[in-house]
Amino acid sequence: MKDIQIKKLIEAEKNRQKKVINLIASENYVSKDVLEALGTELTNKYAEGYPAKRYYGGNEIIDEIEILCQTRALELFDLAEKSKGSQDRSQAGKWSVNVQALSGSPANVAVYLAVLPQGGKIMGMSLDHGGHLTHGHKVSITGKVWKQVPYGVDKNTEMINYEELMAKAIAEKPGVIVAGFTAYPRVVDFKKFREIADASGALLMVDMSHFAGLVAGKEYPSPFEYADIVTTTTHKTLRGPRSALIFTKKGVTIASGEKGEKKEISSLVDKAVFPGMQGGPHMNQIAGVAVALKEAKSADFKKYAKQVKKNAKVLAEELAKRGWRIISGGTDSHLILIDTWMEGKKNEKGAGAVAGKSASDKLEKAGIIVNKNAIPFDTRPPVDPSGIRLGTAAETTHVKKEKDFVKIAERIDKILKGE
Ligand code: DSN
């Protein structure tokens, strides 16, 4: 690279990534093949439209890449007509996928744009209970154009209370119910969410951004039997480049437009992505996603997903042993939420009284990268909340196993206790 300034910065970031222990739950390390696909001539091409329906010439190869990415996305989650080696074929051929959304937030906005009139209600988990900004939070466009009906976790169990959710959904009648979170460590009962959506007349959208890699590795329940729409980023547990996928169930229709004509949600979503939200897709990105999806179908990836979960369990248990309060008492995924503040008091093991920002800063100084995070019913402000969020996806890619996470827990404990 001739640009020495940028070259140096890239090298510096590469070294930083090598040196630290990365416990950011939403990050991961892509393969060399994914990186190679990203840095190619595909970035030169404009491809507005969809395969065989483009607004620019010269797209015959681009079409093949986009179709391959779609096919691999459907195959990975056992949704393709001809998917091989799958035990459960019940959803085969019933889904479409859009691979053009630039990332998770635009993907979610595109879904609402497709299926919800302005002012319509999105029932999503509130941010401080583990939801995402794009699940209708007021500072996001999703809370400005549409209206959030928030739900949270139960105060005692810190898990979703499905009975409360049902009652609220029936009372509020949202257009879309969103299941899927950025800081909820447990499994989600998608069947219950389906019952709630049916009882309230809502579409069920699952945002599986955090746990998509675990679904692919068969380590987390698949939402496809129950959802109408599934969105996901591709760069968290799925270990691809930064991008997103939107899956829509075929045959699901809604009344749309001034005449209220029934239309398939898959075609409404395609129109919402382009031309509704975006111009040309980032084809180098789509090629990188295709590479990652193929990798995620391998036996090695299944082992990886299993290890991610084992590592998270060990990390949570080891921290709990040392006195730290794990939200909801544990984890069923790659993600752990820790109450480091513990109402400002230290317990008999010396854990507690470290606010989220200070915890994250102290750990970063020692080379452990995490993010500060609100905990359910947090009494502290979002800029300095009561907890931190940890995830094991990135360090498991760097082949860390249970014994390594015991050591990581020991270090975290010592750093937070100031030892
Ligand atoms: N920023 C992502 C996360 O950290 O979970 C979600 O957008």
Side-chain angles (χ1 to χ4, degrees), residues 81 93-96 228 248-253 264-266:
E81 298 278 8
K94 294 186 183 160
W95 288 78
S96 306
D228 300 302
T248 39
K249 190 159 193 164
K250 287 182 188 168
V252 179
T253 58
E264 287 255 351
I265 55 171
S266 56

Side-chain angles (χ1 to χ4, degrees), residues 16 29 39 46 84 97 104 107 117 122 142 149 181 195 207 254 264 267 292 307 323 330 350 362 367-368 386:
R16 187 199 68 80
Y29 297 115
Y46 246 118
K84 288 191 193 105
V97 64
I122 301 166
T142 61
V149 177
F181 323 97
E195 287 162 11
D207 178 347
I254 56 163
E264 287 255 351
S267 82
Q307 192 64 49
K362 283 181 182 177
I368 300 177
S386 293

Side-chain angles (χ1 to χ4, degrees), residues 151 160 162 178-181 186-198 204-208 211 215 220-227 229-230:
Y151 65 91
I160 298 166
Y162 292 93
V178 185
F181 323 97
R186 313 312 302 227
V187 287
V188 178
D189 189 335
F190 295 120
K191 187 165 184 274
K192 287 222 173 97
F193 264 102
R194 178 74 260 165
E195 287 162 11
I196 294 165
D198 287 343
L204 178 59
M205 163 177 158
V206 174
D207 178 347
M208 64 169 184
F211 49 84
V215 175
Y220 195 96
S222 168
F224 287 99
E225 196 183 333
Y226 302 107
I229 300 159
V230 177

